[in-house]
């Protein structure tokens, strides 16, 4: 008799990713067994992921370790992190690191915590020479991310949610994007894995928490139970479209960007709007404008220098980047 369906589902998801990591490892001609770390908060999603990694990795000759981040945002968070580390070691993961971080304030509490977490995960992966870091984001998390992107109104890239593979050299892997949250929780229950529910996940002060406990249930009540799955499917379709448009924009750059960095207005005008705005965004970022501070309205304003030219002056963008039209050229300079 095989494992419970929930346990089988999480193991299959992890096995597929480990095969990919092994293939990538061999293609780079790296010697020795690759090390794969699981980022674990102690919640059901990441504990299920840790258990699946611990089960599958030895069968494939992959070393399996873990890391838990102490954000220091709650009293006793250090004790909680130490307890999670003990659980990971009980699963025979090695190495297991506890990393404390200082969460700043830039961009709001959720963004600041995320930035601190990824910086710590990057540093830990570098220190151990890990080939990959597994993250426990589920299909439900993906649906929430798509809705948050929709609310921002910043195009299909923001609707494409989280990538299954991201980060430098494909470091971050998300095996559970096709697995729902309930399956992960059931897998923990079946395997008698203790889980910790972060109070931030139910705190209405956090946008994602409100979406999880109020927004998505209201949508499901109105539209039916397939909403989460449909949103996750939207993410994948949007990602495919956005990747194609990004590739088109990269090719178009060769025809509209001169060696001196100025852009040909006529060439830009001939491009479809979705491609042209991508070329403009890439050019503005290359000139020094920080991507995180650059919004759709900024690019639309630059676009009007091409499509609605009435002699308007230079446009000032984040990062002290200025854009002006000079004859038939677009000049983008940091000053």
């Amino acid at each position: 008799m095989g494992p419970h369906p929930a346990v089988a589902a999480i193991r299959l998801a992890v096995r597929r990713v480990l095969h990919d990591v092994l293939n990538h490892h061999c293609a780079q001609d790296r010697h020795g067994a690759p090390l794969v770390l699981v980022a674990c908060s102690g919640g059901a999603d990441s504990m299920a992921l840790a258990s699946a990694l611990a089960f599958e990795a030895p069968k494939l000759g992959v070393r399996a370790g873990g890391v838990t981040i102490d954000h220091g945002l709650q009293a006793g968070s250090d004790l909680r992190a130490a307890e999670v580390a003990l659980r990971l070691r009980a699963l025979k993961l090695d190495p297991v690191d506890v990393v404390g971080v200082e969460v700043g304030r830039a961009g709001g509490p959720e963004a600041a915590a995320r930035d601190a977490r990824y910086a710590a995960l990057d540093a830990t992966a570098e220190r151990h020479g890990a080939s990959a870091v597994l993250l426990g984001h589920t299909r439900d998390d993906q649906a929430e991310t798509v809705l948050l992107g929709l609310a921002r109104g910043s195009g299909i890239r923001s609707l494409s949610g989280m990538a299954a593979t991201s980060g430098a050299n494909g470091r971050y892997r998300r095996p559970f994007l096709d697995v729902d949250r309930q399956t992960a929780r059931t897998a923990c229950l079946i395997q008698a894995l203790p889980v910790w529910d972060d109070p931030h996940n139910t705190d209405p002060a956090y946008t994602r928490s409100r979406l999880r406990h109020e927004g998505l249930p209201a949508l499901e009540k109105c539209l039916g139970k397939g909403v989460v799955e449909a949103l996750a499917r939207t993410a994948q379709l949007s990602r495919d479209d956005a990747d194609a448009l990004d590739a088109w924009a990269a090719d178009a750059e060769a025809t509209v960007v001169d060696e001196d960095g100025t852009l040909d207005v006529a060439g830009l005008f001939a491009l479809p709007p979705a491609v042209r705005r991508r070329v403009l965004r890439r050019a503005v970022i290359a000139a020094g404008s920080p991507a995180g501070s650059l919004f759709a309205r900024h690019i639309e304003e630059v676009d009007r220098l091409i499509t609605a030219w009435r002699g308007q002056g230079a446009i000032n963008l984040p990062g002290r980047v200025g854009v002006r039209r000079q004859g038939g050229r677009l000049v983008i300079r940091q000053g």
Side-chain angles (χ1 to χ4, degrees), residues 136-168:
H137 298 118
T138 64
R139 189 165 65 188
D140 300 73
D141 294 308
Q142 185 73 300
E144 292 159 11
T145 303
V146 172
L147 284 175
L148 289 168
L150 184 63
R152 281 197 299 271
S154 49
I156 59 169
R157 180 56 75 187
S158 69
L159 295 183
S160 62
M162 295 174 284
T165 302
S166 64

Side-chain angles (χ1 to χ4, degrees), residues 9 17 30 38 59 80 82 130 166 171 187 228-229 271 274:
V17 167
R30 292 169 69 182
V38 58
K59 299 196 294 180
R80 170 64 56 193
S166 64
R171 166 176 290 156
V228 167
E229 192 174 353
L271 293 171

Side-chain angles (χ1 to χ4, degrees), residues 244-257:
L245 287 166
D246 285 347
W248 188 351
D251 289 342
E253 276 183 356
T255 65
V256 298
V257 182

Side-chain angles (χ1 to χ4, degrees), residues 11-285:
R11 288 177 178 175
L12 176 60
V14 168
R15 192 182 319 141
R16 285 172 172 159
V17 167
L18 292 183
H19 276 298
D20 190 53
V21 170
L22 272 171
N23 290 338
H24 191 61
H25 188 77
C26 293
Q28 291 181 309
D29 200 26
R30 292 169 69 182
H31 301 293
L35 170 66
V36 174
L37 301 174
V38 58
C40 186
S41 66
D45 303 340
S46 57
M47 280 304 297
L49 185 58
S51 72
L53 176 64
F55 183 83
E56 294 291 339
K59 299 196 294 180
L60 295 172
V62 173
R63 292 186 297 136
V67 55
T68 186
I69 307 297
D70 174 15
H71 295 87
L73 296 175
Q74 301 160 4
S77 63
D78 55 337
L79 299 175
R80 170 64 56 193
E83 191 177 328
V84 171
L86 284 175
R87 291 175 187 173
L88 295 179
R89 292 187 185 106
L91 290 169
K92 303 290 193 290
L93 296 184
D94 180 49
V96 171
D97 281 7
V98 176
V99 182
V101 297
E102 191 169 320
V103 176
R105 300 188 176 203
E110 290 163 287
R114 184 176 61 248
D115 290 346
R117 180 164 60 252
Y118 278 102
L121 291 174
D122 277 334
T124 304
E126 294 286 347
R127 189 167 64 250
H128 290 294
S131 294
V133 178
L134 305 189
L135 304 174
H137 298 118
T138 64
R139 189 165 65 188
D140 300 73
D141 294 308
Q142 185 73 300
E144 292 159 11
T145 303
V146 172
L147 284 175
L148 289 168
L150 184 63
R152 281 197 299 271
S154 49
I156 59 169
R157 180 56 75 187
S158 69
L159 295 183
S160 62
M162 295 174 284
T165 302
S166 64
N169 206 24
R171 166 176 290 156
Y172 293 109
R173 307 293 184 115
R174 296 177 175 87
F176 286 178
L177 287 185
D178 289 325
V179 175
D180 62 48
R181 191 175 287 143
Q182 190 54 50
T183 297
R185 189 168 283 278
T186 300
C188 289
L189 190 65
I190 295 297
Q191 297 177 102
L193 290 171
V195 300
W196 172 64
D197 290 314
D198 186 344
H200 282 166
N201 289 338
T202 55
D203 187 343
Y206 292 88
T207 308
R208 188 177 285 268
S209 172
R210 292 196 302 276
L211 188 58
R212 180 173 302 176
H213 297 284
E214 299 169 31
L216 262 175
L219 273 178
E220 287 190 333
K221 186 176 179 183
C222 179
L223 300 174
K225 283 288 183 186
V227 169
V228 167
E229 192 174 353
L231 287 167
R233 192 163 59 247
T234 295
Q236 187 54 58
L237 293 170
S238 297
R239 181 166 296 280
D240 291 344
D241 289 351
D243 287 347
L245 287 166
D246 285 347
W248 188 351
D251 289 342
E253 276 183 356
T255 65
V256 298
V257 182
D258 264 2
E259 288 180 9
D260 63 359
T262 65
L263 284 72
D264 174 41
V265 169
L268 285 166
F269 188 84
L271 293 171
V275 178
R276 182 174 63 244
R277 286 173 187 157
R278 278 169 166 76
V279 172
L280 293 173
R281 180 178 172 82
R282 288 164 64 103
V284 168
I285 290 170

